């Protein structure tokens, strides 16, 4: 019902490839229990994607084609990881901790949300920039404006996520290890790392062996951070 209402409300807008991504995320939200760790991230990412789609429609991105291309290719990396797990295959290393711990009773919703954001920004975003450059026949510098605008939306939503999912700051919660864990991770630093990684990958695109090695190590490193973010607290 919520999915139908969402698309009914948007019936007047011009359809775009982002709509199919939003529809898929709504379907996943309907299929998974609310407490499922991947479902927690999916709700967060759905809100991000809907906000980006709304701003694209409102003219918030000067280069609509570049914004849509980057957004869709970015989302596909998450959806590909979901499909891999659903068909019995291994997702990229950056996503494995979230799928492995998705039903752990000692992991809190905020941890699930941040672990998903870590995987998607730390690994997928860099690769999506390279994918978009190939699709649009352009350089990373040509996408920097769209990259920054998407990043600004992510930062605003991350603040909302922390407010919604983080317990209130009373004395016990300030001493809670979770407070220190999530405080050690920064979306801004992850964004900066993703942009640097994208530029590096683009620079070595004619050296497939080196590009593959760097991508594999990026994937592994982001996965290790995700595992730390999902440390059970009870």
């Amino acid at each position: 019902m919520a999915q139908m209402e969402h698309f009914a409300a948007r019936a007047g807008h011009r359809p775009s490839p982002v709509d199919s991504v939003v529809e898929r995320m709504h379907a996943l939200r309907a299929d998974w229990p609310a407490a499922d760790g991947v479902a927690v991230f999916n709700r967060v990412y759905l809100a991000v994607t809907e906000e980006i789609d709304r701003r694209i429609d409102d003219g918030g991105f000067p280069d609509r084609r570049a914004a849509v291309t980057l957004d869709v290719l970015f989302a596909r990396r998450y959806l590909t990881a979901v499909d891999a797990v659903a068909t019995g295959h291994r997702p990229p290393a950056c996503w494995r901790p979230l799928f492995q711990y998705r039903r752990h009773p000692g992991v809190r919703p905020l941890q699930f949300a941040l672990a998903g954001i870590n995987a998607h920004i730390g690994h997928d975003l860099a690769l999506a920039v390279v994918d978009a450059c190939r699709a649009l026949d352009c350089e990373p510098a040509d996408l920097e404006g769209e990259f920054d605008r998407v990043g600004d939306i992510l930062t605003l939503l991350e603040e909302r996520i922390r407010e919604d999912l983080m317990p209130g700051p009373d004395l016990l919660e300030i001493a809670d290890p979770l407070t220190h864990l999530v405080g050690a991770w920064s979306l801004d630093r992850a964004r900066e790392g993703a942009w640097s990684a994208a530029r590096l990958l683009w620079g070595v695109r004619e050296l497939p062996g080196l590009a593959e090695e760097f991508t594999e190590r990026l994937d592994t490193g982001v996965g290790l951070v995700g595992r730390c973010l999902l440390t059970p607290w009870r």
Side-chain angles (χ1 to χ4, degrees):
M1 180 64 70
Q3 183 178 354
M4 293 177 63
E5 291 173 352
H6 165 80
F7 289 106
R10 296 176 58 80
H13 93 132
R14 179 169 52 167
S16 81
V18 181
D19 292 329
S20 62
V21 170
V22 170
E23 185 175 5
R24 177 74 195 288
M25 290 183 194
H26 272 286
L28 293 173
R29 181 173 184 173
D31 288 343
W32 290 332
D36 180 291
V38 185
V40 172
F41 167 73
N42 188 76
R43 290 196 299 274
V44 170
Y45 192 30
L46 174 58
V48 170
T49 306
E50 288 178 329
E51 179 64 16
I52 292 173
D53 196 17
R54 184 188 67 78
R55 295 196 187 191
I56 289 173
D57 290 337
D58 290 345
F61 289 83
D63 190 337
R64 176 187 172 90
R65 178 169 175 252
V68 169
T69 300
L70 179 58
D71 192 35
V72 170
L73 293 175
F74 184 32
R76 281 181 185 169
R77 292 209 165 256
Y78 157 61
L79 295 174
T80 297
V82 170
D83 290 339
V85 174
T87 55
H89 295 86
R90 288 175 55 139
C94 62
W95 285 106
R96 285 174 209 157
L98 181 58
F99 283 97
Q100 290 169 353
Y101 284 81
R102 65 191 298 178
R103 296 180 181 88
H104 197 295
V107 179
R108 302 184 193 179
L110 179 59
Q111 292 176 263
F112 289 132
L114 292 183
I117 294 171
N118 170 70
H120 204 38
I121 302 297
H123 173 266
D124 293 355
L125 184 54
L127 274 60
V129 170
V130 174
D131 293 341
C133 286
R134 290 193 172 114
L136 297 167
D137 192 22
C138 68
E139 299 283 326
D142 299 320
L143 296 178
E144 189 169 5
E146 282 63 41
F147 180 95
D148 287 341
R149 290 180 183 90
V150 169
D152 291 341
I153 295 170
L154 289 168
T155 298
L156 290 173
L157 288 172
E158 187 214 14
E159 293 173 0
R160 189 184 310 169
I161 291 161
R162 289 178 185 264
E163 291 173 359
D164 291 346
L165 299 180
M166 190 73 178
D170 60 33
L171 291 178
L172 286 176
E173 287 156 352
I174 289 174
D176 192 317
L178 177 60
T179 304
H180 301 284
L181 177 68
V182 300
W185 187 84
S186 165
L187 176 61
D188 287 340
R189 301 292 83 77
R191 283 173 53 191
E192 291 170 2
W195 183 246
S196 295
R199 293 177 59 207
L200 191 153
L201 283 169
W202 186 252
V204 299
R205 66 190 182 281
E206 303 298 335
L207 301 170
L210 185 58
E212 182 178 356
E213 180 181 350
F214 178 80
T215 301
E216 182 178 343
R217 294 192 177 186
L218 176 66
D219 187 24
T220 301
V222 172
L224 288 173
V225 174
R227 174 62 188 83
C228 291
L229 287 169
L230 291 168
T231 300
W233 297 109
R234 65 178 185 273

